[in-house]
Amino acid sequence: MSDALWIILVGCLVASSCALVGCFLVLRKLAMLGDAISHAVLPGIVIAFMLTGSRNVVPMLLGAGAMGLLTVFITDVLNRFGKLQSDASMGVTFTWLFAIGVILVTRYTAQVDLDVDCVLYGDILYAPFDVWAFGSHLVAPRAAWLLGVVTLVNAIVLLLGYKQFKVCTFDPALAASMGIQVAFWHYLLMGLVSVTTVASFESVGAILVVAMLVIPANTAYLLTERLSRMILLAILLGCTSAIGGYWLAERLDASIAAAMGVVAGLQFILAALFAPRSGVISRLRGPRGAGLQLPENSEGTNATAQHVVNS
Amino acid sequence: MALFGSINAIYVLLGCVILGVSAGLLGCFAFLRKRSLLGDALAHAALPGVCMAFILSGQKDPLLLLLGAMVSCWIGAISVDGIVKYTRCKEDSALGMVLSFYFAVGILLLTHIQKQGNAAQSGLEKFLFGQAASLLGRDIILLGTLGIGMCIVVALFYKEFKAVSFDRDFAHASGMNTRLIEYTLATLIVLAVCVGLQAVGVVLMAAMLVTPAAAARYWTDRLGRMLLLATLFGGLSGALGALTSYYGDRMPTGPWMVVAVSSVFLFSLLFAPKRGVVPRAWRLRRFRLHTAEENLLRTLYKARENTQAWDTPQSLAEILQQRNMPMAALRHTLHRLTRKGLVCQTGLRFALTPEGLQAARDVTRRHRLWEVYLTRQLEIAPDHVHDDAEEIEHILTPELEQQIIELLGHPETDPHGQIIPGLPTSEARP
């Protein structure tokens, strides 16, 4: 396979793994979590580096993953026991961890070659050159292996726990009354988000991860009212923006990851304007008197929750 | 002090304090509107503006770059509002999308510029990642002017900002131009972000907006005081960050500012008198002990109510028969009551002292009055009222008690036929 195809494939894998968990983040109003995690993991990476003394990727991923979960946990604790509103909890937590990470980097790793830019924030352009091989036939970029596994794990876990994730997302109280362990499923999802974020930005850069977690899921949110369709649509939109982004980057001679994010954003703008039911244009021209009143989405979500109970 | 020998160090110190003050002040409004992460999103949204300013002018004039940053930050702020208003996407999604989309556009432009081979471009990204140590005299004049300007605007429009932050509809109904006020507020936040970017960088700028406000919230319920405290916390951590990096070896300024302000936050979270975790836990514990004591007094009272033999002490086993509780808890509570002089101990048996009897009567009266109130006024079946009374007996104030007595017309017995003790004598009736 050519480098271009590998880059697009890696982009599509990032898009898919992010879309799978991103839809739930968006519905739970945790869209900023990807951004928070991708910054907060810095001290984890530095500590892993300081302990092992090497730039081996496995300990760094472990350190980063642990830090991601810690971010979620501290945010929860501040929110619940500190009675701090959730957006501020997240903001306080990740900026604090990031600051500690920067201090550690400047203080202890300056003489060693640990560049924050290159270790923490990979670039999709270089993804094809870092190859892992299993046997003589299975040669593929490391990023493709890693993200392939992450996508697969996300898909399997979400399929197995689809009903639980769905109810917990739309109506936690109902979920609790149905005997679902809300906290368990919450942390399971957060674990997936953490792993996905870390694995993706290690290969393709943080900026693309945040974009892919949030933007396709929101575009899909504008286009449908069913969770299953929203997820599939988000994956599809993510993949098309990966392909479109590659093309755009070629034309402009610029960063591929950024171009993918830009295309995803353009898709959202189009959807916001022209979506059949909830788009700005269709509502402006819609039935008289409707004006810009939003079709309330709670109807849809309640219906889905009801559907789950009945099934 | 060595610090004051170096004019540059003083510039850095001043710059960090101004930054902390202005970010702390405006962060409060973002915090109250539940958009604490706005600073994060806007800080990222500055990048395309910086790049566009460079592309259009072809040079790295700091003022032009700052202007570019402000314009694109401002458009970013408007986009967040627009997305929330005109689509069904939520606030957090709007912030996340603006952050990643604008930053992606910025990186796209930045990499495009870098490939063009214009030598002047190198170091353009430094604008976003902040270097407090490179602040110069003229930067300080600019920062200072902007900072003071922002404080003045907030002072002038304090009432309007307050109204919009707490109750937008009320502000609108009382004839304020809410849209204009919101735009002014957004512009101020944009200014604060752009000013801070150069000194501490994107992520740490977000911290300087959120954390002082979050810390100040623990100390007060009044906006004016919150603003003052957040300003103080911000300025203080600015100074601490600058000093640490000046005296320490290889200590970056921005991160130490954030660590300083986070420490202030942690202290507030734990020890702020009303809302802090430790004082709240302490009050809860005090209330639990108080509840346990009153419950036990009532148990001791009931056991001797029929015989009126208050001086006959009861053994632990007798008490446990009346009220089932762990032995350790019983001993502990009895010990506390004895120490307070409400219970006296003879051997291993316990009796109420006269003061204890009085206290026990009071709590029993409150309990039984509440039962009467529930059965008569709310028509709850007599066998359902005990648990509720068990809770309310500890918090009923004398004034409320008096009102209930009058409302019920001085009842003599509770729904179970037991006498309500210690009522004001009937001659006292109006």
Side-chain angles (χ1 to χ4, degrees):
Chain A
M1 264 163 91
S2 71
D3 288 350
L5 276 180
W6 277 124
I7 291 176
I8 291 176
L9 178 71
V10 169
C12 289
L13 285 173
V14 172
S16 314
S17 57
C18 287
L20 283 168
V21 288
C23 287
F24 289 97
L25 286 186
V26 165
L27 290 171
R28 289 174 182 223
K29 302 185 188 156
L30 286 172
M32 291 296 277
L33 193 66
D35 180 55
I37 288 182
S38 62
H39 288 106
V41 295
L42 180 59
I45 291 175
V46 180
I47 290 170
F49 173 77
M50 282 159 60
L51 288 181
T52 60
S54 75
R55 277 167 49 175
N56 190 334
V57 71
V58 177
M60 284 195 184
L61 278 183
L62 286 179
M67 218 35 100
L69 275 179
L70 187 68
T71 313
V72 175
F73 180 70
I74 298 180
T75 306
D76 257 11
V77 167
L78 286 185
N79 187 212
R80 234 179 264 173
F81 298 102
K83 312 245 178 204
L84 185 65
Q85 63 198 46
S86 56
D87 57 329
S89 310
M90 201 186 282
V92 170
T93 311
F94 87 85
T95 54
W96 173 70
L97 287 169
F98 184 75
I100 290 181
V102 175
I103 291 174
L104 288 176
V105 169
T106 18
R107 185 109 182 97
Y108 298 106
T109 63
Q111 60 278 64
V112 202
D113 176 31
L114 183 81
D115 185 1
V116 180
D117 289 343
C118 84
V119 176
L120 180 55
Y121 305 118
D123 190 323
I124 198 168
L125 182 61
Y126 306 119
F129 305 120
D130 190 356
V131 180
W132 271 358
F134 289 85
S136 54
H137 296 293
L138 288 168
V139 182
R142 193 189 73 200
W145 283 116
L146 200 60
L147 289 166
V149 171
V150 170
T151 311
L152 204 64
V153 169
N154 281 356
I156 292 172
V157 174
L158 287 183
L159 271 180
L160 289 179
Y162 185 70
K163 190 181 102 175
Q164 284 86 341
F165 281 123
K166 192 167 164 182
V167 189
C168 290
T169 300
F170 287 117
D171 195 341
L174 174 70
S177 71
M178 288 165 73
I180 297 173
Q181 296 288 327
V182 180
F184 168 77
W185 293 99
H186 176 70
Y187 274 95
L188 183 60
L189 182 67
M190 294 302 123
L192 291 183
V193 173
S194 190
V195 169
T196 310
T197 310
V198 172
S200 324
F201 78 56
E202 193 270 336
S203 336
V204 302
I207 178 59
L208 187 57
V209 184
V210 182
M212 284 300 183
L213 275 174
V214 184
I215 303 181
N218 268 298
T219 315
Y221 181 58
L222 293 181
L223 295 174
T224 174
E225 294 190 347
R226 294 193 67 87
L227 178 61
S228 50
R229 278 187 214 149
M230 179 176 161
I231 296 175
L232 291 178
L233 209 54
I235 295 176
L236 191 71
L237 288 164
C239 292
T240 51
S241 52
I243 298 166
Y246 187 82
W247 175 81
L248 182 68
E250 288 271 274
R251 294 293 301 268
L252 291 176
D253 191 14
S255 157
I256 300 170
M260 290 176 176
V262 171
V263 173
L266 295 176
Q267 284 177 346
F268 174 80
I269 296 174
L270 286 181
L273 291 178
F274 301 110
R277 280 185 57 195
S278 58
V280 174
I281 306 263
S282 68
R283 271 189 285 124
L284 279 176
R285 305 164 107 204
R288 219 165 297 145
L292 269 176
Q293 290 297 311
L294 301 187
E296 196 44 64
N297 62 304
S298 59
E299 201 180 321
T301 56
N302 278 344
T304 33
Q306 201 58 48
H307 174 76
V308 174
V309 185
N310 295 339
S311 64
Chain B
M1 292 254 288
L3 175 71
F4 296 101
S6 152
I7 187 75
N8 268 339
I10 295 180
Y11 284 153
V12 173
L13 179 65
L14 268 178
C16 292
V17 171
I18 296 171
L19 162 79
V21 165
S22 49
L25 182 67
L26 289 160
C28 288
F29 293 106
F31 177 89
L32 289 175
R33 304 187 65 194
K34 307 238 188 289
R35 279 193 195 170
S36 300
L37 295 168
L38 185 65
D40 191 27
L42 293 187
H44 284 88
L47 186 57
V50 175
C51 295
M52 281 310 289
F54 177 78
I55 290 176
L56 293 178
S57 71
Q59 50 181 343
K60 274 194 309 186
D61 180 5
L63 216 59
L64 270 179
L65 295 188
L66 185 64
L67 198 68
M70 280 178 191
V71 171
S72 76
C73 260
W74 201 75
I75 299 175
I78 303 297
S79 313
V80 173
D81 275 340
I83 292 173
V84 174
K85 207 166 182 184
Y86 295 115
T87 74
R88 58 180 176 188
C89 297
K90 304 292 180 290
E91 301 242 327
D92 62 305
S93 290
L95 290 175
M97 286 194 288
V98 165
L99 181 151
S100 52
F101 178 65
Y102 279 71
F103 200 64
V105 172
I107 295 283
L108 198 70
L109 291 173
L110 189 65
T111 45
H112 182 70
I113 295 170
Q114 282 167 347
K115 298 276 171 60
Q116 302 301 304
N118 181 342
Q121 57 84 15
S122 70
L124 199 55
E125 72 275 7
K126 288 281 183 295
F127 189 88
L128 279 192
F129 299 106
Q131 284 179 317
S134 64
L135 288 173
L136 299 173
R138 59 169 193 172
D139 295 331
I140 299 305
I141 295 173
L142 180 66
L143 287 186
T145 321
L146 284 174
I148 293 170
M150 283 187 270
C151 294
I152 293 176
V153 176
V154 171
L156 284 179
F157 294 99
Y158 177 67
K159 205 176 70 185
E160 284 79 4
F161 288 168
K162 189 175 176 177
V164 167
S165 304
F166 284 107
D167 196 337
R168 199 179 172 282
D169 295 335
F170 166 75
H172 192 68
S174 45
M176 293 180 188
N177 187 343
T178 46
R179 185 164 287 191
L180 182 70
I181 297 169
E182 279 178 329
Y183 281 145
T184 315
L185 201 51
T187 312
L188 288 180
I189 294 179
V190 163
L191 277 177
V193 168
C194 293
V195 163
L197 269 186
Q198 286 167 292
V200 295
V202 173
V203 179
L204 305 178
M205 189 55 227
M208 292 313 288
L209 276 174
V210 189
T211 317
R217 182 68 187 88
Y218 280 103
W219 295 90
T220 176
D221 288 330
R222 301 195 64 86
L223 178 63
R225 281 182 209 155
M226 183 176 159
L227 291 179
L228 278 182
L229 277 175
T231 314
L232 183 75
F233 293 160
L236 195 71
S237 25
L240 279 176
L243 289 176
T244 315
S245 77
Y246 186 74
Y247 288 112
D249 172 35
R250 284 207 314 275
M251 295 291 197
T253 317
W256 276 108
M257 281 174 74
V258 176
V259 169
V261 80
S262 301
S263 314
V264 173
F265 168 81
L266 190 66
F267 182 80
S268 313
L269 165 77
L270 291 178
F271 302 114
K274 265 177 85 178
R275 297 166 57 95
V277 172
V278 173
R280 268 196 289 126
W282 175 247
R283 281 197 299 274
L284 188 64
R285 190 186 134 80
R286 287 268 304 272
F287 181 69
R288 285 210 178 119
L289 289 175
H290 178 74
T291 308
E293 286 170 20
E294 289 198 338
N295 283 341
L296 192 56
L297 284 176
R298 200 159 58 79
T299 309
L300 292 172
Y301 177 85
K302 271 181 76 174
R304 293 289 179 267
E305 192 178 9
N306 293 334
T307 59
Q308 301 272 316
W310 307 112
D311 294 333
T312 321
Q314 307 172 42
S315 69
L316 291 177
E318 277 176 77
I319 301 172
L320 284 179
Q321 259 178 6
Q322 301 277 331
R323 175 177 283 270
N324 193 17
M325 63 197 307
M327 184 58 122
L330 174 62
R331 279 174 189 280
H332 182 68
T333 314
L334 277 172
H335 179 69
R336 288 179 60 90
L337 286 172
T338 316
R339 229 177 31 196
K340 284 186 175 176
L342 298 176
V343 163
C344 60
Q345 183 176 4
T346 39
L348 271 175
R349 300 163 74 87
F350 298 85
L352 289 167
T353 62
E355 294 84 19
L357 180 58
Q358 187 55 45
R361 272 204 183 112
D362 288 344
V363 66
T364 312
R365 183 177 66 247
R366 292 198 292 266
H367 181 98
R368 291 181 182 166
L369 274 174
W370 191 254
E371 289 190 339
V372 180
Y373 175 74
L374 285 184
T375 40
R376 284 210 208 151
Q377 299 290 320
L378 299 180
E379 297 178 358
I380 296 174
D383 53 341
H384 277 63
V385 295
H386 175 78
D387 291 342
D388 201 24
E390 186 91 5
E391 287 176 16
I392 208 83
E393 68 189 31
H394 309 293
I395 45 183
L396 216 55
T397 60
E399 294 79 26
L400 269 176
E401 199 189 326
Q402 193 55 42
Q403 283 188 19
I404 291 173
I405 292 175
E406 278 163 23
L407 181 72
L408 298 174
H410 296 260
E412 310 262 313
T413 56
D414 76 356
H416 315 292
Q418 290 164 307
I419 292 169
I420 300 179
L423 275 175
T425 46
S426 33
E427 294 89 82
R429 279 187 209 175

